[in-house]
Amino acid sequence: EVQLVQSGAEVKQPGATVRISCNISGYTFTDSYIHWVQQAPGKGLEWMGFVDPEDSRSVYAENFQGRVTITADTSTDTVYMQVNSLGSDDTAVYFCATGLTIPQGGYWGQGTLVTVSS
Amino acid sequence: DVVMTQSPLSLPVTLGQPASISCRSSQSLVYSDGDSYLSWFQQRPGQSPRRLIYKVSNRDSGVPDRFSGSGSGTDFTLKISRVEAEDVGLYYCMQGTHWPLTFGGGTKVEIK
């Protein structure tokens, strides 16, 4: 069974940094890109970027470029997503997902709520 | 960026009746390999999204056959042949042909 298990909820102050993890099991880690998707409260889904675990290449959406870093650790089959300089509009649930467009992908983590508040 | 426009925003449906959601892209989703990378996702209340359909019409494993996807170019449709209570939730289309990946705004399916 494929499982994507994300780290727990976080509360951060404005200007802080948050790092979320996503551990993948039951799936060949290097089989596909691992994506991150943001869902603000009551809003839709926004793609943030992906990492290719095979070569550690990352690609980011323009809205997140420069402030988000996605990395992969092949020794633990874990992907990390770090967001710097948090602001109130970063309050959201963040999801990791495998290979959003390919047949063998489409799996999602349970989501991690990040609350930015002073 | 490719804009994905879904309609309707809200879809009240009677149990056992069909439902249809439209998704239009601002550019053709045909990739150089001939495939169109259009997926559909279901998000039940309080849950993570779940992929139902990939490459326009391919159902993911475990997805009931009452869900079907169709379309080409810039116009795509998700159909539910007979709506069941467990189908309540938000439905999103997503294009994966062009970077960045983009999602539609979502359609809320509810029972009348």
Side-chain angles (χ1 to χ4, degrees), chain A residues 13-31:
Chain A
Q13 292 199 332
T17 294
V18 69
R19 191 191 193 207
I20 303 168
S21 66
C22 171
N23 177 255
I24 301 172
S25 59
Y27 187 85
T28 303
F29 191 61
T30 52
D31 252 7

Side-chain angles (χ1 to χ4, degrees), chain B residues 41-57:
Chain B
F41 297 86
Q42 174 196 61
Q43 188 175 31
R44 291 170 173 152
Q47 294 188 14
S48 303
R50 168 199 183 194
R51 195 176 69 181
L52 302 174
I53 302 284
Y54 63 92
K55 288 201 286 185
V56 180
S57 59

